[in-house]
């Protein structure tokens, strides 16, 4: 998915496919979708017909001139088709690779977790949403789903392009699995979350090959502008013919302006450069996003990313790794750290959450405390519930509990024990540092506090600083209390935060920013993020997140990295800049071609106009023919820029606009004068135009 091409055009196979598609796109049903290039298409047909008529004596222009003009116009259409086809080729190559990994496999369906040893082999295409399947090492995951039991190492290279395996396990934010990936160790039980033919892989294939791409509002608006300019130039060209015909009759001479010349003039004046590259720019933008391992569900989302100025980030699984880890054991009231670690580990032996497992590991690493023989100790484990907010273990007359500070406080007070000020201070200190405190009690006596710490993802702070340079405000949204949220926000380097956030609160905040004229982007991975993701202008769901989050977002980050949003914003801005820059260049070209061609075209009728022929073009025919050749070649020359995109610079919008106007505006005026003169000298020197 993330494979890189060594050049803008891709490999030999991609170029061959693009050349073939260039001819297939000559179908009128395809051409009519691009009004500007459809004009060139009609002009190519018209000049071809004029050439046939010229062979039978119809007097318009020299047959050689008409034929040469027709050929160049056909090449102009083919070059425009090639630009679009080469951009589409990247997506088709990615789709072919994905399609190769998508195959019907044997799935091992089970009735329940309790009966996972009694599986039934069924085709993966027969699986329905809600079915349970067990997948062992070496087997391909048959469908999209959520891990509900077990943990396994999964090879997701078919989807993400990354060869390193990832862990997928029940609980936490790493429970989502994608059909087509492969389990390489252990086993997992998954609950299927998509019907056959509607999997994430199916959606990826449809998007990357462009089948689902629609024109964005900005594209449509620009296309309307180009059509309006084209209509104006049609009227200008028609009036020039009428005016020259009238003037010729007044002077008693034949009209020196041929229909072929006026058709070629029309093509040169119309905004064909941007018209030819407009579709390729949009497709290439989506392709660059795909290469960054982000699946965009719409082109509108990519454009919106270029204008985003508010970024709301879900903390868990986005800014942090998502699984809180045991960081320290803090003893109180005379207990030792090892006593706290021992009691904490005993209460966590049956705790399959990432937090519980990390407590067991930390106790083992710090004090060498190993797992006990549970059967010999006759332990009765007390599971965590939302009501008690505690878990623990009872054995041999010993009662150990660990849980939220308020829950454990109430537990010990109800049993006649004390809850010390030292414990309250330890809990407060952990909260102030952005951690989560879990109080440990043994036989109703507080031993100490476990410090669970959210681990900030590597490189997040630096990336947020880059976002700030782009003028984007970052806001962390979390369900944590304000003290914890403030500490994590400071460590991560975000601009602001929303603590104790509810799904309704997130949604309200986004709507409030949007009402003030801001464009809001949000990343998230949980079901509770889905309403806000659906409301956001740019909604990036983590690939490891829940199915609800993926369906609500308009982008999916296959790498599940919040730092990826930097790339998304840069690609969005680059898409807008590329389109704007090439539009500026195209319009500037048209102005230059107008002043280069018109004097040479009318010199035969008005000799005084020769003074305006500042380039010293040989004749009206050489001027027209040189301009037509330039018009075709400039499309080819700009294809690499359309595919790669204009380089984005982290400077203000004003400086960026000024720079691009100088480069693409002034450059667009100067380039045609130089190129048309060189072509004129060449075709005159070889005797093509006399």
């Amino acid at each position: 998915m993330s494979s890189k091409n060594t050049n803008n055009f891709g490999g030999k196979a991609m170029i061959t496919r693009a050349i073939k598609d260039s001819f297939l796109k000559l179908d009128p049903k395809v051409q009519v979708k691009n009004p500007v290039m459809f004009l060139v298409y009609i002009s190519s047909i018209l000049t071809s017909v004029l050439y046939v008529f010229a062979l039978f004596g119809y007097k318009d222009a020299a047959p050689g001139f008409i034929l040469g003009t027709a050929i160049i116009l056909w090449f102009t259409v083919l070059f425009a088709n090639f630009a679009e086809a080469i951009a589409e080729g990247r997506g088709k190559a990615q789709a072919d690779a994905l399609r190769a990994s998508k195959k019907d496999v044997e799935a091992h369906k089970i009735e329940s977790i309790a009966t996972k040893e009694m599986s039934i082999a069924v085709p993966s295409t027969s699986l329905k949403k809600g079915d349970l399947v067990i997948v062992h090492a070496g087997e391909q995951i048959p469908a999209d789903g959520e891990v509900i039991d077990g943990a396994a190492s999964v090879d997701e290279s078919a989807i993400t392009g990354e060869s390193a395996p990832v862990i997928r396990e029940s609980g936490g934010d790493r429970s989502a699995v994608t059909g087509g990936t492969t389990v390489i160790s252990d086993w997992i039980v998954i609950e299927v979350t998509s019907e056959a033919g509607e999997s994430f892989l199916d959606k990826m294939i449809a998007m990357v090959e462009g089948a689902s791409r629609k024109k964005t509002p900005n594209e449509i608006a620009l296309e309307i502008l180009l059509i309006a300019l084209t209509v104006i130039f049609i009227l200008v060209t028609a009036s020039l013919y009428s005016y020259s015909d009238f003037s010729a009759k007044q002077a008693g001479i034949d009209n020196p302006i041929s229909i072929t010349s006026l058709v070629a003039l029309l093509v040169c004046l119309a905004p064909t450069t941007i018209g030819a590259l407009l579709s390729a720019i949009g497709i290439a933008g989506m392709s660059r996003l795909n290469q960054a391992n982000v699946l965009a569900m719409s082109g509108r989302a990519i454009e919106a990313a270029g204008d985003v100025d508010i970024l709301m980030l879900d903390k868990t699984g986005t800014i942090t790794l998502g699984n809180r880890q045991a960081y320290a054991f803090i003893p109180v009231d005379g207990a030792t750290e090892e006593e706290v670690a021992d009691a904490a580990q005993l209460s966590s032996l049956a705790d399959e959450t990432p937090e519980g497992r990390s407590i067991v590991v930390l106790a083992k690493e710090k004090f060498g405390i190993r797992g006990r023989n549970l059967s010999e100790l006759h332990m009765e484990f007390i599971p965590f519930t939302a009501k008690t907010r505690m878990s623990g273990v009872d054995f041999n007359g010993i009662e150990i509990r660990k849980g939220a500070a308020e829950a454990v406080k109430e537990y010990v007070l109800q049993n006649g024990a004390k809850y010390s000020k030292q414990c309250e201070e330890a809990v407060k200190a952990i909260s102030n540092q952005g951690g989560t405190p879990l109080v440990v009690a043994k036989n109703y006596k507080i031993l100490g506090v476990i410090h669970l710490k959210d681990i900030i993802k590597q490189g997040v702070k630096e990336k947020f600083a880059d976002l700030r340079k782009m003028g984007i405000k970052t806001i962390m949204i979390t369900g944590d209390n304000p003290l914890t949220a403030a500490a994590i926000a400071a460590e991560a380097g975000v601009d602001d935060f929303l603590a104790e956030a509810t799904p309704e609160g997130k949604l309200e905040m986004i709507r409030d920013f949007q009402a003030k004229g801001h464009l809001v982007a949000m990343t998230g991975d949980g079901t509770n993020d889905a309403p806000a993701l659906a409301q956001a202008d740019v909604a990036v769901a983590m690939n490891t997140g829940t199915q609800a989050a993926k369906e609500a977002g308009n982008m999916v980050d296959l790498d599940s990295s919040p730092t990826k949003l930097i790339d998304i914003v840069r690609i969005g801005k680059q898409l807008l800049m590329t389109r704007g820059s090439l539009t500026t260049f195209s319009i500037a070209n048209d102005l230059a071609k107008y002043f280069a061609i018109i004097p040479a075209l009318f010199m035969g009728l008005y000799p005084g106009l020769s003074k305006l022929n500042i380039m010293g073009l040989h004749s009206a025919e050489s001027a027209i023919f040189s301009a037509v050749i330039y018009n075709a070649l400039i499309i080819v020359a700009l294809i690499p820029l359309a595919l790669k995109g204009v380089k984005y610079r982290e400077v203000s919008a004003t400086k960026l606009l000024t720079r691009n106007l100088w480069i693409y505006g002034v450059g667009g005026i100067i380039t045609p004068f130089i190129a048309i003169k060189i072509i004129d000298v060449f075709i005159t020197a070889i005797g093509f135009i006399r």
Side-chain angles (χ1 to χ4, degrees), residues 50 58-62 65-66 236-249 253-266 269 597-607 609 619-624:
L50 286 174
Y58 175 76
K59 187 178 181 181
D60 179 67
F65 174 72
I66 300 174
V236 168
T237 305
S239 64
L240 285 176
Y241 181 80
S242 300
Y243 181 72
S244 63
D245 185 58
F246 173 78
S247 299
K249 288 179 179 178
I253 61 175
D254 291 334
N255 189 347
I257 310 299
S258 65
I259 294 176
T260 301
S261 296
L262 286 173
V263 168
L265 174 64
L266 173 60
L269 296 184
I597 298 170
I598 294 297
L601 189 62
F602 281 90
M603 283 190 303
L605 192 59
Y606 299 105
L609 287 177
S619 65
E621 286 189 342
S622 71
I624 285 289

Side-chain angles (χ1 to χ4, degrees), residues 356-372:
R357 288 196 288 268
S358 74
I359 292 171
V360 174
V361 171
L362 183 63
K364 183 173 68 174
E365 290 178 347
K366 293 197 73 172
F367 301 103
I369 303 173
R370 303 282 174 177
R372 285 33 169 222

Side-chain angles (χ1 to χ4, degrees), residues 155-362:
D155 177 6
E156 295 187 340
S157 58
I159 306 297
T160 65
E162 298 296 332
S163 58
V166 295
I167 301 299
R168 293 291 176 258
E169 58 191 349
S170 59
D173 70 325
R174 305 235 168 221
S175 61
V177 292
T178 305
T181 57
T182 304
V183 173
I184 59 177
S185 71
D186 303 299
W187 58 269
I188 49 175
V189 175
I190 68 171
E191 179 179 350
V192 177
T193 56
S194 66
E195 302 287 345
E198 299 177 0
S199 69
F200 186 62
L201 195 58
D202 290 315
K203 293 177 182 177
M204 287 178 66
I205 291 170
M207 288 304 303
V208 299
E209 69 181 356
S212 299
R213 182 183 179 273
K214 297 180 180 179
K215 291 181 179 179
T216 65
N218 283 352
E219 266 187 293
I220 294 171
L222 180 56
E223 193 170 83
I224 291 172
L225 172 63
L226 298 181
I227 292 172
L229 290 174
T230 302
V231 170
I232 291 171
F233 285 126
I234 290 174
L235 296 176
V236 168
T237 305
S239 64
L240 285 176
Y241 181 80
S242 300
Y243 181 72
S244 63
D245 185 58
F246 173 78
S247 299
K249 288 179 179 178
Q250 291 291 324
I253 61 175
D254 291 334
N255 189 347
I257 310 299
S258 65
I259 294 176
T260 301
S261 296
L262 286 173
V263 168
L265 174 64
L266 173 60
V267 170
C268 290
L269 296 184
T272 51
T273 306
I274 186 61
L277 299 174
L278 184 59
S279 181
I281 293 168
I283 295 171
M286 187 170 285
S287 179
R288 285 196 296 275
L289 207 61
N290 291 334
Q291 290 174 355
N293 271 1
V294 178
L295 176 64
M297 303 302 182
S298 72
R300 181 195 293 262
I302 304 175
E303 287 188 349
D307 292 324
V308 159
D309 57 356
I310 298 290
L311 171 59
M312 295 177 63
L313 297 150
D314 182 56
K315 184 206 75 174
T316 306
T318 307
I319 293 176
T320 66
L321 292 176
N323 297 330
R324 293 172 298 177
Q325 303 289 307
Y327 177 71
F329 300 112
I330 303 171
V332 298
D333 300 337
T336 66
E337 186 179 355
E338 187 170 355
E339 286 179 308
V340 179
D342 181 64
Q345 189 189 68
L346 283 168
S347 66
S348 303
L349 290 176
D351 187 347
E352 289 300 318
T353 65
E355 293 88 350
R357 288 196 288 268
S358 74
I359 292 171
V360 174
V361 171
L362 183 63

Side-chain angles (χ1 to χ4, degrees), residues 380-627:
E380 180 187 354
F381 290 99
I382 312 300
F384 175 88
T385 67
K387 184 177 181 180
T388 64
R389 299 173 66 201
M390 292 188 303
S391 62
V393 63
D394 295 340
F395 68 100
N396 298 337
I398 298 174
E399 193 172 304
I400 300 175
R401 297 289 184 272
K402 78 172 191 296
E406 290 299 320
V408 177
K409 179 180 180 180
E410 184 179 349
Y411 162 76
V412 298
L413 291 177
Q414 285 178 348
N415 288 277
K418 295 181 179 180
Y419 187 82
S420 70
K421 185 177 180 181
Q422 189 178 2
C423 183
E424 287 184 353
E425 290 174 348
V427 167
K428 187 175 181 180
I430 292 172
S431 296
N432 287 342
Q433 294 172 40
T436 301
L438 290 181
V439 177
V440 181
K442 183 176 182 180
N443 292 336
Y444 315 121
K445 180 182 183 298
I446 302 296
L447 294 180
V449 186
I450 305 169
H451 182 175
L452 294 180
K453 186 176 181 180
D454 278 316
I455 308 300
I456 304 294
K457 289 188 175 182
Q458 188 175 5
V460 163
K461 191 168 187 175
E462 292 77 10
K463 296 298 183 181
F464 288 160
D466 290 340
L467 284 171
R468 201 171 293 113
K469 290 179 183 177
M470 297 179 189
I472 299 172
K473 181 179 181 180
T474 53
I475 301 172
M476 182 186 77
I477 46 180
T478 175
D480 291 336
N481 63 66
L483 287 175
T484 301
I488 294 175
E491 185 179 354
V494 296
D495 297 312
D496 201 355
F497 65 89
L498 174 65
E500 298 177 342
T502 61
E504 295 79 12
K506 299 174 189 177
L507 186 60
E508 184 180 348
M509 175 175 271
I510 291 176
R511 286 174 174 169
D512 183 55
F513 278 123
Q514 289 173 332
K516 295 176 181 176
H518 296 283
L519 281 180
V520 182
M522 177 181 171
T523 61
D525 60 353
T527 301
N528 64 337
D529 296 321
L533 286 170
Q535 179 66 34
D537 299 287
V538 179
V540 184
M542 301 292 111
N543 187 38
T544 54
T546 63
Q547 193 68 22
K550 290 182 183 180
E551 291 176 355
N554 49 29
M555 292 187 186
V556 177
D557 176 14
L558 302 179
D559 295 329
S560 299
S561 168
T563 59
K564 186 64 65 65
L565 200 64
I566 299 284
D567 297 322
I568 294 172
V569 170
R570 184 176 286 112
I571 290 169
K573 288 183 178 295
Q574 189 180 43
L575 172 64
L576 297 178
M577 285 170 49
T578 302
R579 187 182 295 153
S581 298
L582 292 185
T583 300
T584 302
F585 185 87
S586 179
I587 294 174
N589 260 230
D590 294 337
L591 292 174
K593 285 182 285 186
Y594 185 87
F595 287 105
I597 298 170
I598 294 297
L601 189 62
F602 281 90
M603 283 190 303
L605 192 59
Y606 299 105
L609 287 177
S610 59
K611 294 180 180 179
L612 296 178
N613 184 20
I614 57 176
M615 292 193 297
L617 299 179
H618 180 265
S619 65
E621 286 189 342
S622 71
I624 285 289
F625 202 69
S626 299

Side-chain angles (χ1 to χ4, degrees), residues 70-114:
I71 292 173
I72 296 301
L73 291 182
W74 279 116
F75 270 108
T76 304
V77 177
L78 288 171
F79 290 158
N81 291 349
F82 180 78
E84 184 175 63
I86 201 71
E88 290 174 346
R90 290 179 174 180
K92 289 179 180 178
Q94 291 170 334
D96 289 343
L98 290 170
R99 198 175 281 111
S101 68
K102 182 180 180 294
K103 56 186 178 181
D104 188 20
V105 297
E106 185 178 79
H108 301 287
K109 186 177 176 181
I110 61 176
E111 291 298 323
S112 66
I113 294 176

